Amino acid sequence: MKHTASRGWLLTAAAMLVAALVAAPANGATPAIPGVDEIVSSPNLTQVAHLDKTGPFASSTNSDWAFQGHYAYGGNYNGFAVYDIRNPKAPTVATQVLCPGSQNDISISGNLLFLGTDSQRSNDSCDNVASTTAAPGERWEGIKIFDISDPRTPQYLKSVKTDCGSHTQTLVPGKRHDPNLYLYISSYNLTGADQPNCALPHDKISIIKVPKRNPTAATVVAAPVLFPDGGYGGGTGQSPTTGCHDITVYAEKDLAAGACMGDGVLFDISKRTAPRVITTVRDTVNFSFWHSATFNNSGTKVVFTDELGGGGAATCNPTIGPDRGADAVYDIVRGKKLVFGSYFKIPRTNADTENCVAHNGSLIPVPGRDIMVQAWYQGGISVWDFTNSRHPRELAYWERGPISATQFIGGGSWSAYWYNGFIYSNDIAKGVDVLELKDPRTAVAKHFRTDVFNAQTQDNFLRW
């Protein structure tokens, strides 16, 4: 794409850049911790809309996002909500689908929505309760498939049971002439003991094949063992590998990056049903739990996140420091090896009553630069540049003060993603926030549009 800019726009952009630099804390000083529910931000990142959680979702955890057309689909432990975002500054709730189950991670392709359940339920319908020893039911967990031909009236089509459920899921397009979709189902067992539907060792993923023309024929077609040697055995403050937490694919390049608890992994996925481990990395000093992965647009880097404390601890403070509960930037070098570049963590101190750690984010489409927006739970939302793998830097931030100043209460942004010119955040406790980034360094991103966005299914934004 070729873009031109007027002299007036350039003057405005220059003024914004000066304002951002002037507003930065002097001498590296840390901004004061905001008060309860107080919103603070850099001048280039502002909130333009907010929707409170409502109805059956009001008291339940908000989770991950997927987007298609003029709709955003937000996961919640009680189901999923569909938001009409034709006007991003005035979003509305189009519908809510009550379908309880932990995580309720979402992926979308065409008229199909895939909903992942990672808690044992009494059956595979949306009219279910948690399975217990006294009333086990079917002990079902896995993937539910919905028809969203009409986004305002999703129709439940089919379920697919998977071992250990679906903590996260990754939609993988078939290769050329392959009429199927695939789902890589990531799940794990941290109990150290066998569980119903989740026996150890669980060093595998489940792969579901979904025929596009007959989605009700979806089924598990493979369950490859990724760690035949058992993976990392764990250590003090570090998780053992008993599965993967999250896998991100760059299908065009036949690559995937796995955040697999105790291991960071690079996969060859040229054969969709038989991913092959290319290389693994471990950080036995600073990483506790390899949580998620994001490629840069050229597929030459991976950002891994460390979910220290499982997302339920105060880790953005001087006691924990800048290298734990952080991002780690790795370069993919010749031979497709992963070479560590640096850590990145938000440069602000949070209160001891706030859960804060690196969590879900996505690239912002800026050609020639590696820039992403990322959620940090109650640490808020950060926009940062990792073009220089060894010297990443923050460009913008937005955060809401603690839910409580006196007691620890979990909340904050679960996922913050860029979609067609705006940032959408699904706040665990508060609801939906829409943010607008106005910065000359990212202004070109406003021109890029896509019809569908699944964070764990990356493609080349230069082809949008």
Side-chain angles (χ1 to χ4, degrees):
M1 292 184 181
K2 183 177 180 181
H3 303 284
T4 58
S6 67
R7 181 173 178 272
W9 183 90
L10 290 172
L11 290 173
T12 302
M16 288 165 53
L17 178 59
V18 170
L21 294 173
V22 170
N27 302 319
T30 301
I33 297 172
V36 172
D37 285 341
E38 178 188 1
I39 290 175
V40 296
S41 70
S42 56
N44 53 352
L45 187 58
T46 56
Q47 181 186 40
V48 294
H50 173 78
L51 286 175
D52 286 335
K53 295 194 297 182
T54 60
F57 297 172
S59 59
S60 187
T61 297
N62 270 351
S63 56
D64 215 349
W65 285 114
F67 301 83
Q68 186 179 65
H70 297 299
Y71 294 94
Y73 298 79
N76 180 282
Y77 278 37
N78 267 339
F80 65 94
V82 183
Y83 301 94
D84 186 326
I85 55 170
R86 293 169 199 274
N87 180 355
K89 296 183 179 182
T92 59
V93 177
T95 192
Q96 292 180 325
V97 177
L98 183 61
C99 199
S102 175
Q103 294 290 119
N104 275 340
D105 197 23
I106 296 174
S107 293
I108 290 175
S109 178
N111 292 329
L112 300 177
L113 180 147
F114 304 95
L115 189 70
T117 300
D118 187 36
S119 59
Q120 294 179 28
R121 314 303 297 181
S122 56
N123 62 65
D124 69 346
S125 77
C126 284
D127 182 14
N128 71 75
V129 295
S131 175
T132 65
T133 302
E138 297 176 9
R139 289 194 182 276
W140 183 90
E141 53 185 336
I143 292 289
K144 295 184 176 82
I145 304 175
F146 290 81
D147 184 326
I148 53 169
S149 300
D150 180 353
R152 295 176 178 272
T153 58
Q155 302 297 312
Y156 182 23
L157 295 179
K158 162 83 173 180
S159 75
V160 181
K161 186 176 182 178
T162 58
D163 289 347
C164 252
S166 176
H167 194 76
T168 63
Q169 52 160 307
T170 305
L171 189 144
V172 188
K175 293 177 72 70
R176 192 175 182 181
H177 305 308
D178 184 346
N180 303 294
L181 298 171
Y182 299 89
L183 295 176
Y184 289 176
I185 309 301
S186 297
S187 56
Y188 54 89
N189 183 339
L190 274 177
T191 66
D194 286 348
Q195 293 182 308
N197 194 36
C198 194
L200 290 172
H202 186 76
D203 298 318
K204 62 184 180 180
I205 61 172
S206 296
I207 300 178
I208 296 174
K209 182 172 74 173
V210 184
K212 293 180 185 178
R213 295 180 181 178
N214 184 19
T216 58
T219 188
V220 174
V221 293
V225 174
L226 305 179
F227 307 100
D229 63 351
Y232 182 52
T236 303
Q238 295 175 322
S239 173
T241 298
T242 62
C244 288
H245 181 279
D246 212 323
I247 294 174
T248 295
V249 299
Y250 203 143
E252 175 185 310
K253 298 181 180 296
D254 285 334
L255 285 177
C260 299
M261 305 175 69
D263 291 276
V265 188
L266 193 64
F267 298 99
D268 179 323
I269 60 166
S270 53
K271 185 175 181 181
R272 297 294 193 248
T273 57
R276 178 178 61 85
V277 174
I278 299 171
T279 189
T280 61
V281 289
R282 292 172 184 165
D283 182 340
T284 58
V285 176
N286 288 311
F287 256 47
S288 172
F289 187 93
W290 296 69
H291 175 273
S292 56
T294 303
F295 287 101
N296 68 341
N297 195 56
S298 61
T300 58
K301 300 175 188 176
V302 182
V303 174
F304 289 104
T305 67
D306 174 21
E307 194 182 45
L308 176 66
T315 68
C316 295
N317 53 48
T319 301
I320 299 299
D323 297 336
R324 299 172 61 208
D327 297 317
V329 182
Y330 282 81
D331 291 303
I332 303 174
V333 300
R334 58 187 178 277
K336 294 187 176 176
K337 301 296 183 182
L338 291 167
V339 176
F340 174 75
S342 62
Y343 297 110
F344 171 79
K345 192 172 183 180
I346 57 172
R348 286 168 297 287
T349 296
N350 272 202
D352 290 338
T353 59
E354 295 180 279
N355 58 320
C356 174
V357 76
H359 216 241
N360 296 344
S362 71
L363 294 183
I364 296 177
V366 179
R369 308 294 296 179
D370 300 327
I371 298 175
M372 69 181 291
V373 58
Q374 186 176 2
W376 290 78
Y377 287 128
Q378 287 190 77
I381 296 165
S382 176
V383 176
W384 62 290
D385 186 324
F386 60 101
T387 306
N388 185 332
S389 300
R390 286 174 168 72
H391 297 287
R393 59 195 180 112
E394 186 172 75
L395 305 182
Y397 75 92
W398 181 94
E399 73 169 296
R400 182 182 278 114
I403 295 173
S404 171
T406 58
Q407 59 179 319
F408 183 92
I409 300 176
S413 179
W414 178 293
S415 299
Y417 299 141
W418 177 275
Y419 181 69
N420 289 348
F422 291 85
I423 293 167
Y424 296 84
S425 168
N426 216 13
D427 188 289
I428 292 169
K430 298 293 185 179
V432 174
D433 294 302
V434 185
L435 309 180
E436 186 171 17
L437 179 64
K438 291 184 177 180
D439 190 296
R441 296 164 292 190
T442 60
V444 69
K446 283 275 192 177
H447 297 275
F448 288 87
R449 291 290 182 271
T450 183
D451 293 328
V452 64
F453 178 81
N454 299 294
Q456 286 75 38
T457 309
Q458 288 190 233
D459 56 13
N460 188 341
F461 60 63
L462 294 178
R463 295 182 180 171
W464 287 1

